[in-house]
């Protein structure tokens, strides 16, 4: 299943279409067709036995081009959009389409004025076979009755059967009927397969991008003598998990708790025993106590904006967790920096691209004058604190475990080396790279913006149109940048990837129904 079709990532102001505030996928650069490339050139032309994607999940958002307000069809979420879905069907693709979750009665962008059975009928008529997160047979029957009333029983039953056929086609292709059972011994052998584990470890190593390496801090076999490395303790406040449930406050090493002394000799802060941990329970090592440390390693997350994914409601998370959305106004800037940010500069849009909402009511979604903050500003504070206590000659290595791009201007000048990867890379993989056991080979898949002005000046739908951050060594954190032990990587991959980005599919003609 390939997702999310089409335009996910071009949400207005960088917001999230899981919530009401991010419901518009905007194309100020007129670049809608570029967002079709992964589906029409990619999913329809796979280098595999299947040859094509088996299924597609549409996004929640409403496609909107301010240069042609009605050119991308009806102002409804992608699964409801005849314009969007017809692009797939007009290529001859016969796969199954499954909506994103809660689209019938939770996140029905553009369809709020319709009853649930009407939404269901519209999806059925748009060749949508499955409705993510929903099981409502009674609603389905009401929708079918509406279809019979509108188009007659022959047409309604034909539509129903076609949608059912596509579901069964997917199930048959993975043999859910012919062989519905699994063999425990075979499953165990697959799970414990050493070749598969080695492949996974190699993939993790290759996913790590070395962004900075001043003075060749990270070098081949650089820690073979197991030097002393300071890894500070980190306090994490109590919180609720994403799907509910309380997470207690914790104090733990910020990196490598399960790798202690495997690649280096670990030195860490003193922690007092406490039933209710707090920052006060940590006694930081002094510069004198760190005198014989050669390195320090601090692991952080990218800045986590306080309003990312929670602006406006109902959202996917408010539906799942049963919580109420934050009261309006919903229009907050989304920051990629650690320190608080206020969007009161001239480069911030004072009016949203579309001055009305999907129901035709006036609505200015500009964030001008509004403020936001990162919930993990303490990550930056930890790095700066560690830097202030390190003895001369001790090198600070920063590990960034990220889920989106970020601004580096606040943190890069204080560290000697940076290794960066998106979520899912193991700490052992980071350790292999940091210790010099494995040479870093990863390349940035996104540009890292110079600052928040660059973030706001970028057009949501246009790739590689920002000024990247340039670090103290003069390296630009641009798309396809990465370092290895010898310096900036320049190989066959970079020659391929640095080609101009595609702005329209090359293998399929884009044909959309009105």
């Amino acid at each position: 299943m390939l997702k999310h079709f089409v335009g996910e990532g071009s949400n207005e102001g960088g917001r999230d279409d899981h919530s009401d505030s991010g419901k518009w996928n905007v194309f100020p650069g007129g670049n809608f067709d570029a967002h079709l490339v992964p589906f029409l050139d990619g999913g329809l032309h796979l280098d595999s036995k299947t040859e094509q994607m088996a299924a597609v999940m549409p996004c929640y958002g409403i496609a909107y081009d301010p240069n042609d307000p009605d050119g991308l069809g009806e102002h409804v979420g992608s699964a409801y959009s005849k314009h969007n879905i017809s692009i797939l069907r007009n290529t001859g693709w016969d796969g199954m389409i499954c909506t994103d979750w809660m689209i019938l009665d939770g996140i029905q962008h553009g369809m709020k004025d319709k009853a649930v059975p009407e939404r269901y009928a519209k999806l059925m008529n748009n060749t949508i076979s499955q409705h993510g997160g929903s099981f409502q047979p009674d609603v389905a029957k009401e929708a079918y009755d509406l279809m019979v009333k509108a188009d007659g029983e022959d047409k309604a039953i034909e539509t129903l059967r076609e949608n059912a056929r596509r579901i069964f086609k997917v199930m048959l292709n993975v043999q859910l009927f012919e062989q519905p059972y699994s063999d425990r011994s075979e499953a165990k052998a697959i799970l414990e397969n050493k070749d598969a584990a080695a492949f996974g470890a190699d993939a993790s190593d290759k996913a790590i991008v070395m962004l900075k390496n001043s003075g060749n801090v990270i070098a081949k076999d650089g820690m073979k003598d197991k030097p002393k490395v300071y890894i500070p303790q980190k306090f994490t406040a109590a919180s609720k998990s994403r799907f509910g449930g309380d997470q207690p406050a914790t104090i733990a090493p910020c990196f490598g708790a399960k790798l202690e002394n495997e690649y280096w000799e670990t030195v860490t802060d003193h922690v007092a025993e406490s039933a209710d941990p707090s920052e006060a329970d940590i006694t930081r090592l002094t510069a004198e106590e760190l005198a014989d440390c050669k390195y320090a390693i601090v692991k952080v997350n990218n800045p986590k904006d306080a309003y990312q994914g929670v602006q406006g409601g109902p959202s996917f998370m408010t539906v799942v967790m049963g919580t109420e959305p934050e009261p309006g106004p919903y229009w907050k800037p989304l920051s990629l920096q650690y320190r608080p940010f206020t969007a009161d500069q001239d480069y911030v849009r004072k009016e949203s691209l579309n001055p009305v909402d999907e129901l035709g009511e006036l609505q200015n979604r500009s964030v001008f004058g509004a403020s936001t903050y990162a919930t993990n500003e303490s990550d930056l504070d930890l790095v700066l604190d560690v830097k202030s206590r390190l003895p001369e000659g001790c090198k600070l290595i920063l590990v960034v475990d990220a889920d989106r791009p970020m601004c580096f201007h606040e943190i890069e000048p204080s560290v000697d080396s940076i290794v960066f990867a998106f979520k899912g890379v193991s700490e052992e993989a980071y350790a292999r790279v940091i210790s010099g056991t494995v040479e870093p080979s990863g390349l940035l898949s996104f540009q890292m913006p110079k600052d928040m002005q660059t973030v706001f000046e970028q057009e949501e739908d246009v790739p590689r149109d920002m000024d990247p951050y340039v670090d103290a060594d003069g390296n630009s954190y641009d798309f396809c940048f990465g370092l290895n032990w010898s310096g900036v990587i320049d190989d066959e991959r970079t020659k391929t990837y640095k080609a101009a980005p595609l702005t329209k599919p090359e293998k399929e003609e884009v044909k959309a129904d009105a």
Side-chain angles (χ1 to χ4, degrees):
M1 180 179 288
L2 191 58
K3 57 182 187 177
H4 292 86
F5 185 84
V6 57
E8 183 73 8
S10 64
N11 307 82
E12 183 181 32
R15 294 187 287 266
D16 186 347
D17 65 5
H18 281 71
S19 61
D20 199 59
S21 68
K23 62 191 169 189
W24 293 96
N25 294 335
V26 294
F27 302 91
N31 221 32
F32 177 84
D33 284 2
H35 295 255
L36 295 168
V37 171
F39 300 91
L40 303 195
D41 283 0
L44 293 180
H45 298 274
L46 298 178
D47 184 16
S48 66
K49 292 180 181 178
T50 62
E51 296 182 351
Q52 292 188 335
M53 56 201 176
V56 163
M57 179 180 286
C59 65
Y60 291 118
I62 305 167
Y64 179 77
D65 184 345
N67 309 294
D68 186 8
D70 297 316
L72 299 179
E74 187 182 4
H75 293 170
V76 290
S78 193
Y80 292 105
S81 170
K82 182 180 180 182
H83 172 277
N84 286 7
I85 302 305
S86 70
I87 294 172
L88 289 173
R89 296 304 186 200
N90 287 338
T91 66
W93 181 70
D94 187 45
M96 184 188 79
I97 299 178
C98 173
T99 75
D100 211 331
W101 262 225
M102 308 299 180
I103 193 172
L104 284 172
D105 46 16
I107 314 173
Q108 63 279 2
H109 300 328
M111 295 293 292
K112 293 178 183 177
D113 60 338
K114 306 297 183 185
V116 176
E118 291 179 278
R119 297 171 195 157
Y120 200 114
K122 188 175 181 69
L123 291 171
M124 285 261 282
N125 283 321
N126 206 24
T127 74
I128 308 297
S129 295
Q130 288 188 334
H131 310 93
S134 298
F135 184 71
Q136 303 180 59
D138 292 344
V139 171
K141 178 60 169 63
E142 290 181 64
Y144 179 75
D145 290 342
L146 290 175
M147 294 165 63
V148 170
K149 184 176 181 180
D151 301 313
E153 188 164 8
D154 289 347
K155 176 64 174 175
I157 195 67
E158 179 186 359
T159 300
L160 176 62
R161 285 173 173 164
E162 277 294 282
N163 284 319
R165 178 185 63 80
R166 292 187 175 108
I167 297 174
F168 281 104
K169 180 181 176 183
V170 170
M171 293 181 174
L172 287 167
N173 282 342
V174 293
Q175 299 180 346
L176 289 183
F177 295 106
E178 295 92 331
Q179 175 51 282
Y181 305 106
S182 61
D183 183 289
R184 289 171 63 91
S185 59
E186 183 178 355
K188 187 173 186 292
I190 292 171
L191 183 65
E192 297 177 352
N193 184 282
K194 292 182 180 180
D195 290 340
F199 177 84
D202 183 59
S204 286
D205 294 342
K206 290 177 178 177
I208 295 172
V209 184
M210 184 160 69
L211 294 176
K212 185 177 182 180
N213 196 30
S214 294
N216 294 320
V217 172
I218 295 176
K220 184 177 182 180
D221 297 325
M223 294 188 181
K224 64 180 179 180
D225 296 329
K226 296 190 72 171
K228 287 188 176 181
V229 175
Y230 172 49
I231 298 178
Q233 297 284 329
K234 183 177 180 180
F235 168 72
T236 303
S239 64
K240 288 189 177 295
S241 71
R242 184 176 181 186
F243 291 99
D246 294 329
Q247 301 294 313
T250 59
I251 295 176
C254 69
F255 179 76
K258 296 180 180 179
L259 304 171
E260 188 170 3
N261 299 326
E262 183 173 346
Y263 292 91
W264 46 72
E265 182 182 342
T266 301
V267 176
T268 191
D269 302 310
H270 307 294
V271 179
E273 291 189 13
S274 174
D276 185 19
S278 70
E279 186 74 44
D281 295 321
I282 303 174
T283 301
R284 300 292 181 189
L285 297 184
T286 65
E288 290 74 19
E289 291 174 304
L290 296 171
D292 57 351
C293 287
K294 189 173 180 181
Y295 304 95
I297 300 175
V298 181
K299 181 183 177 184
V300 300
N301 294 121
N302 59 283
K304 301 288 188 178
D305 186 89
Y307 299 102
Q308 182 68 44
V310 300
Q311 299 182 52
S315 71
F316 173 73
M317 291 313 303
T318 60
V319 171
V320 170
M321 296 179 67
T323 57
E324 290 298 319
E326 177 173 311
Y330 302 144
W331 321 119
K332 297 280 191 177
L334 297 177
S335 179
L336 300 185
Q337 67 179 37
Y338 289 103
R339 297 304 186 204
F341 175 78
T342 299
D344 57 359
Q345 296 84 1
D346 289 340
Y347 53 76
V348 180
R349 286 181 191 142
K350 295 182 176 59
E351 294 184 1
S352 51
L353 294 173
N354 183 6
V356 298
D357 69 7
E358 72 272 33
L359 301 180
E361 299 177 359
L362 290 175
Q363 184 181 74
N364 184 12
R365 297 177 296 278
S366 169
V367 300
F368 184 79
S371 298
T372 190
Y373 63 96
T375 58
N376 63 327
E377 185 180 0
S378 58
D379 280 4
L380 173 60
D381 292 331
L382 178 61
V383 171
L384 299 179
D385 175 64
V386 169
K387 178 66 174 179
S388 71
R389 291 183 285 110
L390 293 183
E392 186 177 354
C394 184
K395 304 299 183 181
L396 178 50
I397 299 171
L398 181 69
V399 176
V400 182
D401 192 32
D403 61 9
R404 69 193 64 239
M406 61 180 281
C407 296
F408 276 91
H409 64 279
E410 301 160 307
I411 203 167
E412 176 273 325
S414 298
V415 304
D416 298 287
S417 186
I418 302 173
V419 287
F420 175 100
F422 290 103
K423 292 289 184 182
V425 171
S426 69
E427 289 198 339
E428 186 163 7
Y430 282 117
R432 288 193 290 267
V433 169
I434 291 170
S435 65
T437 306
V438 170
E439 184 170 20
S441 62
L443 303 171
L444 280 180
S445 53
F446 295 94
Q447 294 176 302
M448 296 295 158
K450 180 175 67 174
D451 50 30
M452 285 303 296
Q453 178 173 348
T454 301
V455 172
F456 273 88
E457 289 178 343
Q458 181 211 18
E459 292 187 318
E460 288 91 335
D461 61 322
V462 180
R464 306 186 219 166
D465 68 332
M466 65 170 65
D467 293 329
Y469 178 73
V470 178
D471 70 12
D473 295 333
N475 287 318
S476 176
Y477 293 2
D478 205 348
F479 171 76
C480 209
F481 168 75
L483 300 171
N484 57 22
W485 293 330
S486 301
V488 178
I489 296 173
D490 182 16
D491 57 17
E492 290 303 315
R493 295 175 303 156
T494 60
K495 290 180 176 64
T496 298
Y497 301 148
K498 286 184 178 179
L502 295 176
T503 57
K504 62 181 180 180
E506 294 183 328
K507 298 178 181 178
E508 297 285 344
E509 183 181 355
V510 178
K511 295 185 291 185
D513 295 346

